[in-house]
Amino acid sequence: MVYSEKIEFSIGSTTSKVMDIEFEFSEEGKGIISVKIDQLSSRGSDMSFMLEEPKNSYVAFLKWLIKLTSAEMRGFESSVKVFDKGVDVRASIDRLYFEIKDIDIFIDDKMNNVSLNSLNTKFSMTNLKFNVPFLDDNIADKALEKINKAIPDGKVSKAEIAVNYNKQSSMLRLTGILRMLGGNASLGIDVLIDENYPDATYIKSASLKLKNLSEGMIDFVDMIEKETSIKVDRIGRSSANLDYSGPIKNLPSGEFKQTSYASEARTVMSNIYNASKMYYQTKGEWPDDVEQLERAGQLDLSRSTKLRWKFELQLPDRLIATSTEEMNDGAGKVVLFDSLTGKFYGYGSAEDDDNR
């Protein structure tokens, strides 16, 4: 069937503003979440839509063009309290501003084919303040210790980032600045995007210039140098230039790379274990392999995951994942999940000594 109808309509400038927003969510004896916003506003102009039916076998599309659209938030304050954990987290932001200077999106009539042709947007934040106490959790507290050292006063005075993307050139460009007591930063990244093969995505150039760094930020730079392929050029004690060019898949290195690659196996093993428990509740016996879970409709593993990892079920005690040649770090890497303790061992774990 061939159609020739075309529907076009446009909306002129739009402006909205909401003042004095407050809400609170609480559960008796457990905790309170509260949010306060002084002002929310948004502005749009030159908003137009076009809906065209199929014609001469061409796919119908909805082209959505929004120019000079912005949103702003002023006077944001929030707090989260969890009584039994002793958690009291507070944060505030003077101003958040988001602007879309240009956006071009292609969407077909069935909404199952979406393509971003171009994007030019900017985000800025002024005076972020936060207070996050230790949470009596080893993993979380280690991360918080690093954050508190890097940002000792809990303040980020200014952050800006601009994003530009052009599908025709496959180029994504990010630029930005950061200002805080822990140091100042300027960022510039050009990335060649391969939509069909994400692993082929290439960082043409990436540069991060850091100045007036705190001791915590210096430690952070040390970690980047140790765990990634980024080149670190130190300028005195408190400044550094970080540069990288190459495939994005080669960015992590060393222990971090192992943790990154192992995370896929860990996620899948958690899904397998949860599916196996459901299978046991239904069948009264543990499954022998993942295929049995898939046939029962309890699990759906992607083909790419199956190509990279082989999973062995020794339930109810453990699960074992072994990498193949398709995994980026090679074959023979073993990840073990102990269902009795709920912990992972082997490749990508701190306890691993054999697969490094």
Side-chain angles (χ1 to χ4, degrees), residues 8-46:
E8 294 185 67
F9 62 94
S10 63
I11 302 174
S13 298
T14 61
T15 303
S16 63
K17 183 182 292 185
V18 182
M19 310 288 289
D20 299 327
I21 303 168
E22 291 188 47
F23 69 86
E24 183 177 282
F25 173 79
S26 63
E27 189 170 354
E28 187 175 354
K30 292 189 176 181
I32 299 174
I33 300 174
S34 62
V35 174
K36 178 182 177 183
I37 302 172
D38 290 343
Q39 176 182 306
L40 278 177
S41 60
S42 64
R43 178 175 296 175
S45 63
D46 299 331

Side-chain angles (χ1 to χ4, degrees), residues 133-148:
F134 291 111
L135 306 176
D136 196 25
D137 179 281
N138 288 335
I139 296 177
D141 287 345
K142 285 181 180 179
L144 288 172
E145 183 179 5
K146 292 180 180 179
I147 293 173
N148 289 331

Side-chain angles (χ1 to χ4, degrees), residues 230-290:
I230 294 174
K231 178 185 176 183
V232 177
D233 182 17
R234 300 178 188 277
I235 305 171
R237 172 62 180 167
S238 61
S239 298
N241 292 338
L242 282 63
D243 296 283
Y244 178 76
S245 177
I248 196 168
K249 67 178 182 180
N250 292 345
L251 188 56
S253 64
E255 182 179 345
F256 181 80
K257 178 185 287 186
Q258 293 183 14
T259 302
S260 176
Y261 292 155
S263 65
E264 178 186 32
R266 291 185 176 195
T267 299
V268 173
M269 293 168 84
S270 295
N271 293 338
I272 291 174
Y273 183 60
N274 290 332
S276 297
K277 289 192 293 183
M278 294 178 63
Y279 184 94
Y280 180 81
Q281 292 173 0
T282 304
K283 305 286 187 178
E285 59 182 10
W286 293 99
D288 296 321
D289 49 46
V290 294

Side-chain angles (χ1 to χ4, degrees), residues 37-168:
I37 302 172
D38 290 343
Q39 176 182 306
L40 278 177
S41 60
S42 64
R43 178 175 296 175
S45 63
D46 299 331
M47 185 181 294
S48 64
F49 300 86
M50 181 172 69
L51 180 64
E52 187 174 0
E53 295 292 346
K55 184 178 181 180
N56 298 327
S57 76
Y58 287 101
V59 179
F61 67 92
L62 170 65
K63 190 174 182 181
W64 182 22
L65 182 63
I66 305 174
K67 291 184 177 180
L68 301 176
T69 301
S70 64
E72 182 182 40
M73 178 176 68
R74 290 182 177 271
F76 171 84
E77 296 180 7
S78 70
S79 68
V80 177
K81 296 181 180 180
V82 182
F83 301 140
D84 61 343
K85 300 290 185 180
V87 173
D88 185 1
V89 179
R90 297 185 300 276
S92 66
I93 301 172
D94 283 358
R95 181 177 183 258
L96 276 176
Y97 182 73
F98 181 70
E99 179 182 9
I100 300 177
K101 297 182 179 180
D102 180 73
I103 184 169
D104 185 356
I105 301 176
F106 171 88
I107 310 175
D108 70 12
D109 64 330
K110 295 182 179 179
M111 305 296 288
N112 57 12
N113 182 16
V114 180
S115 177
L116 177 62
N117 296 322
S118 64
L119 175 67
N120 184 354
T121 185
K122 181 181 179 181
F123 168 84
S124 64
M125 178 182 68
T126 305
N127 292 334
L128 164 66
K129 301 176 184 178
F130 62 90
N131 174 45
V132 183
F134 291 111
L135 306 176
D136 196 25
D137 179 281
N138 288 335
I139 296 177
D141 287 345
K142 285 181 180 179
L144 288 172
E145 183 179 5
K146 292 180 180 179
I147 293 173
N148 289 331
K149 285 185 67 178
I151 313 175
D153 61 342
K155 297 179 182 178
V156 176
S157 59
K158 186 176 184 179
E160 291 183 356
I161 187 166
V163 180
N164 287 273
Y165 173 70
N166 186 287
K167 183 180 179 69
Q168 188 173 2

Side-chain angles (χ1 to χ4, degrees), residues 169-173 188-193 200-207 243-248:
S169 64
S170 300
M171 179 68 73
L172 171 66
R173 175 164 293 170
I189 302 177
D190 286 343
V191 183
L192 290 170
I193 304 292
T201 296
Y202 190 88
I203 299 178
K204 185 178 180 181
S205 64
S207 174
D243 296 283
Y244 178 76
S245 177
I248 196 168

